Amino acid sequence: MVQILFNFITLFTLTLIFGHGNTVTHQDVCGELIHVDEAVVIDGPFHENCMMQFETQEDRILAFSVVDGNIIETRELFTIHDGISTESPILLAGNQKILEYSRKDLPATFYSTQSAAIVRFIKTPSAKMSLKIQKAVSCSLNVGPESQCGRVVDEISCYCANFNNKNHPDQTMFCIDNKMTLVSFENRTEEEFVQKTWSTQIPYWTSLTDTRRDGTWVWEGTMTILNPGDYTHWFPGRPSLANDNEEDCMLYGGNTFFGYWSDVNCITTLANAICEAHP
Ligand SMILES: *[C@@H]1O[C@H](CO)[C@@H](O)[C@H](O)[C@H]1NC(C)=O
């Protein structure tokens, strides 16, 4: 039994370390155009005048970081140009958006403002280095007068809190109007980052509802059915089990439910909201 448990823990740890299955590693790519599907790691070797073009999905942006290092400290080695025209400006640390609500411990990252960029080496690096380029969503400073946005979970997604009290359909539309969706908590980690950033003192709508069919809870943001075994964080006694009940939308927070989830009336309940956008 202990052995089985040990194997399980080892497997789990390995999955955490090597679990980013969609990262493609490239070498010897000077002069090439590289498509970034999700994430790409460029292992070098880099040399003076090495130039690479990157492009991703048209409505997404590129996030540049250095594996095992800080991209800001390596910036005398290369420049990143925002776009692939000859006039594309160089991305500078000072011109990058400062998102106050972002996690402070995320890897230092440079963001393009469009879906293509050029990296141009000025010097040959003296030590081995790897560049990481990821597809990301752009993140506004806010999405309205009473909102706050940030890279709250990771460096490629964006989350915004809306402090206007509205019912569930109106908050759903608020997120959609800003090219986002109401938040869907995939796991405890994601929920904890969001709750740490904006607290649980006031209630926030999420995308979880059983409006379409009582008893079948769907994260409408990701169109995923909540199956047995999936992550949940219901308040004791929730969701309400009565058939055809009127409590069809999930919110968390406030003095009754704290960080836990509760099902409440979608139309008559007014609450704040968390919107999210993933690449
Ligand atoms: C938790 O959810 C976040 C956000 O969707 C995701 O990026 C992360 O990989 C998930 N973590 C685990 C351990 O599944």
Side-chain angles (χ1 to χ4, degrees), residues 128-146:
K128 187 174 155 35
M129 64 171 278
S130 305
L131 271 180
K132 185 173 186 182
I133 303 97
Q134 292 172 277
K135 176 164 86 170
V137 291
S138 62
C139 198
S140 310
L141 291 171
N142 58 57
V143 288
E146 290 174 73

Side-chain angles (χ1 to χ4, degrees), residues 7 19 53 60 92 101 109 125 132 137 146-147 166 198 206 277:
N7 286 345
Q53 292 187 7
R60 295 291 185 265
L92 299 171
Y101 300 95
T109 305
K132 185 173 186 182
V137 291
E146 290 174 73
S147 69
K166 294 170 190 274
W198 288 301
T206 71

Side-chain angles (χ1 to χ4, degrees), residues 153-154 159 186-187 190 278:
V153 176
D154 54 43
Y159 292 74
E186 274 177 46
N187 54 54
E190 182 183 17
H278 291 292

